[in-house]
């Protein structure tokens, strides 16, 4: 069978149309399509070049902190075409601009001067500590990481301060040093909390990666400190590095059974936020009873899942761990505690050399929503295994040491 090649620009064209449909909810899709593409053709005729997105439409629909913001559709939009876009300061919101086409593979050598925010030794130490577990930084080499840390700036926030607002363009990526923050999403004029950050984590990356407006509002619920990275440096270093990582991981991610129900664009966003970790034979990856902070997919090797059961049937074995499962390439573990919001119900150990793709809890909650039903069904399977082995599934209901 011959290979079908997608024409250049088709993906962007259809994404633009889809976003407009989701934003405006037209009663007749065909009539809307005729009007949409007619306006697009007229705009192209005026510009003498094919646009990557509708002339006044929003950006690509993204997951995480980067969905769709309403585009300005008033009469002033035409007059604004010749206005110079003001340069944002590090705390200002970016004004809405047309989505840039960005191909890291085609980008030439850097010509822009490096951004450097001077720091005291004490600030540098705090920054390095805050960034040590950020997955987006894990694949950077030492020179890249040094440039990122040089460019980051400290932002002190107060209670109820809005760090980012849903619908705004992406200006900075943020790493949390301290403080608690609510993630709020407004839909159908109703605002609800969809998660929290508690003195750790990062946010704001997807809007910068895909040139999409923020999909959520982040509000400080305590005083705190953040480290920000401007979008230019983020895209120059992080996005380019992620393009290389995407080439390495995308074929593997497509082969993972759990993720087959996701759209291609959703799987690619997972590629962008995962990190890679290596473990040696016998090394403990997760520990029973500890708070869960990550989700794991095995890239190579085997992982043994062991549990210390507290049920009566296992009292004779004392505190000895019992193997309940083996996971291999393409399988995943660590999701149970994230789905149930309970401590780890089991420990995981590397069998031989193991390589895992790791996703932090915030990315897990943002990007794997469509897979949640599958993972919840698997909980029943875990319970059946425990009942067969120990006569009870109490260890899932009340996990601990």
């Amino acid at each position: 069978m011959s290979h079908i090649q997608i024409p250049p620009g088709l993906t962007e064209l259809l994404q633009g149309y889809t976003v407009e449909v989701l934003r405006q909810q037209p009663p007749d899709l065909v009539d809307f399509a005729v009007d949409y593409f007619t306006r697009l053709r007229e705009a192209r005729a005026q510009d003498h070049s094919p646009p990557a997105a509708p002339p006044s439409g929003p950006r690509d629909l993204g997951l995480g902190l980067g969905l769709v913001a309403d585009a300005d559709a008033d009469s002033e939009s035409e007059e604004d075409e010749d206005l110079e876009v003001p340069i944002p300061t590090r705390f200002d919101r970016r004004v809405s601009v047309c989505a840039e086409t960005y191909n890291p593979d085609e980008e030439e050598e850097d010509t822009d001067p490096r951004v450097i925010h001077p720091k005291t030794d004490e600030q540098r130490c705090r920054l390095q500590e805050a960034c040590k577990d950020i997955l987006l930084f894990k694949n950077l080499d030492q020179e890249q990481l040094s440039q990122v840390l040089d460019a980051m700036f400290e932002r002190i926030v107060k209670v109820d301060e809005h760090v980012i607002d849903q619908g705004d363009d992406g200006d900075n990526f943020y790493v949390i040093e301290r403080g608690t923050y609510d993630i709020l999403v407004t839909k159908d004029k109703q605002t609800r909390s969809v998660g929290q950050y508690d003195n750790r984590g990062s946010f704001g990356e997807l809007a910068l990666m895909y040139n999409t407006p923020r999909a959520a509002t982040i509000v400080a619920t305590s005083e705190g400190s953040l480290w920000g990275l401007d979008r230019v440096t983020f895209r120059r270093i992080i996005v380019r590095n992620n393009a290389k990582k995407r080439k390495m991981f995308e074929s593997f991610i497509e082969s993972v059974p759990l993720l087959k129900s996701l759209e291609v664009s959703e799987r690619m966003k997972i590629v962008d936020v995962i990190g890679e970790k290596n473990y040696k034979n016998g090394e403990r990856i997760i520990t029973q009873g500890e708070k869960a902070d990550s989700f794991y997919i095995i890239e190579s090797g085997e992982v043994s899942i062991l549990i210390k059961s507290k049920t009566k049937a296992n009292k004779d074995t004392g505190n000895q761990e019992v193997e309940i499962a083996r996971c291999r390439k393409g399988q995943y573990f660590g999701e149970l505690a994230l789905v149930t919001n309970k401590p780890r119900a089991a420990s995981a150990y590397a069998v031989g050399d193991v390589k895992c793709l790791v996703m932090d809890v915030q990315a897990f909650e943002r990007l794997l929503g469509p897979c949640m039903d599958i993972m919840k069904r698997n909980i029943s399977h875990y319970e059946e295994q425990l009942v067969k082995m120990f006569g009870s599934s109490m260890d899932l209901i009340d996990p601990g040491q």
Side-chain angles (χ1 to χ4, degrees):
M1 185 175 67
S2 61
H3 178 67
I4 300 175
Q5 185 174 5
I6 299 176
L10 177 61
T11 301
E12 292 79 5
L13 188 71
L14 295 180
Q15 282 178 337
Y17 169 70
T18 302
V19 167
E20 282 289 278
V21 169
L22 294 174
R23 187 173 71 88
Q24 299 190 26
Q25 299 291 315
D28 191 312
L29 292 178
V30 175
D31 286 347
F32 183 78
V34 171
D35 178 64
Y36 173 85
F37 287 109
T38 298
R39 288 188 289 111
L40 199 61
R41 183 174 60 182
E42 292 172 352
R44 183 178 65 178
Q46 292 176 2
D47 295 341
H48 302 291
S49 61
S56 62
R59 289 163 183 72
D60 178 21
L61 180 66
L63 295 174
L65 303 184
L67 271 173
V68 175
D70 291 342
D72 295 328
D74 56 22
S75 59
E76 295 178 359
S77 61
E78 296 180 1
E79 300 173 2
D80 291 342
E81 290 179 355
D82 297 329
L83 294 179
E84 182 178 346
V85 178
I87 299 174
T89 67
R90 63 186 189 183
F91 295 144
D92 288 342
R93 304 293 182 203
R94 290 178 59 233
V95 296
S96 183
V97 295
C98 291
E100 304 126 290
T101 56
Y102 184 86
N103 187 339
D105 294 333
E106 296 177 358
E107 186 166 298
E108 298 176 354
E109 291 298 317
D110 298 332
T111 56
D112 294 332
R114 284 177 50 179
V115 176
I116 298 178
H117 291 287
K119 301 171 184 66
T120 64
D121 290 343
E122 183 266 342
Q123 284 180 310
R124 188 83 177 189
C125 288
R126 288 192 288 110
L127 173 58
Q128 290 176 330
E129 180 66 22
C131 292
K132 69 178 184 179
D133 292 322
I134 301 302
L135 290 177
L136 279 174
F137 297 167
K138 290 292 185 182
N139 294 309
L140 300 179
D141 60 35
Q142 195 56 46
E143 174 62 24
Q144 290 172 325
L145 181 59
S146 179
Q147 289 186 34
V148 166
L149 297 181
D150 285 344
M152 297 185 80
F153 57 88
E154 187 172 15
R155 174 174 174 179
I156 305 299
V157 295
K158 299 178 180 178
V159 179
D160 295 330
E161 182 175 342
H162 286 219
V163 182
I164 64 176
D165 286 300
Q166 183 174 343
D168 280 356
D169 281 1
D171 47 11
N172 299 307
F173 167 68
Y174 290 101
V175 172
I176 298 170
E177 180 186 350
R178 58 181 174 85
T180 54
Y181 307 82
D182 272 344
I183 308 170
L184 307 176
V185 172
T186 300
K187 185 177 181 181
D188 299 328
K189 298 182 179 180
Q190 293 188 337
T191 300
R192 64 188 182 94
S193 175
V194 297
Q196 294 83 32
Y197 294 102
D198 186 0
N199 289 287
R200 63 184 301 178
S202 61
F203 55 86
E205 72 278 7
L206 294 181
L208 302 184
M209 286 177 173
Y210 304 107
N211 284 314
T212 53
R214 305 291 196 188
T217 296
I218 305 294
V219 180
T221 54
S222 72
E223 291 186 352
S225 176
L226 301 167
W227 290 96
L229 179 66
D230 68 278
R231 65 181 302 276
V232 173
T233 304
F234 182 93
R235 289 172 65 78
R236 178 172 59 86
I237 298 178
I238 307 296
V239 174
R240 177 187 294 175
N241 190 70
N242 261 40
K244 297 176 183 177
K245 185 177 74 171
R246 174 176 287 191
K247 287 183 178 180
M248 293 171 53
F249 294 156
E250 62 184 7
S251 60
F252 173 73
I253 288 294
E254 289 173 0
S255 71
V256 176
L258 173 69
L259 307 179
K260 286 187 180 296
S261 62
L262 298 178
E263 298 292 336
V264 174
S265 61
E266 293 172 326
R267 288 200 295 267
M268 289 307 95
K269 287 180 173 63
I270 289 175
V271 171
D272 286 335
V273 298
I274 57 176
E276 189 177 53
K277 288 188 177 181
N278 295 294
Y279 301 93
K280 297 185 181 299
N281 182 42
E283 187 174 351
R284 185 162 55 189
I285 303 172
I286 62 175
T287 303
Q288 181 176 342
E290 288 188 350
K291 183 179 179 181
D293 59 3
S294 298
F295 167 72
Y296 301 82
I297 300 173
I298 300 173
E299 188 179 0
S300 65
E302 289 188 9
V303 172
S304 176
I305 309 298
L306 292 91
I307 190 170
K308 294 178 183 177
S309 177
K310 297 176 292 185
T311 59
K312 181 178 180 180
N314 196 44
K315 282 186 176 179
D316 293 339
T317 65
N319 210 29
Q320 182 179 352
E321 291 181 317
V322 179
E323 184 178 83
I324 60 171
R326 280 279 179 109
C327 297
R328 295 172 176 83
K329 180 179 178 179
Q331 294 182 304
Y332 60 91
F333 62 95
E335 85 290 354
L336 179 61
L338 300 182
V339 172
T340 60
N341 291 315
K342 294 180 179 179
R344 296 289 193 192
S347 297
Y349 294 86
V351 181
D353 290 338
V354 173
K355 187 179 294 183
C356 289
L357 301 183
V358 186
M359 181 186 300
D360 65 30
V361 60
Q362 290 85 15
F364 177 87
E365 292 172 345
R366 294 200 313 259
L367 300 180
L368 290 187
C371 302
M372 202 61 71
D373 288 341
I374 297 175
M375 289 184 281
K376 286 180 178 178
R377 287 199 298 269
N378 285 342
I379 293 177
S380 298
H381 176 64
Y382 299 149
E383 290 175 341
E384 291 173 3
Q385 284 183 293
L386 290 178
V387 170
K388 286 180 181 178
M389 296 183 69
F390 305 124
S392 170
S393 62
M394 183 60 65
D395 294 292
L396 285 184
I397 299 171
D398 183 26
Q401 298 284 0

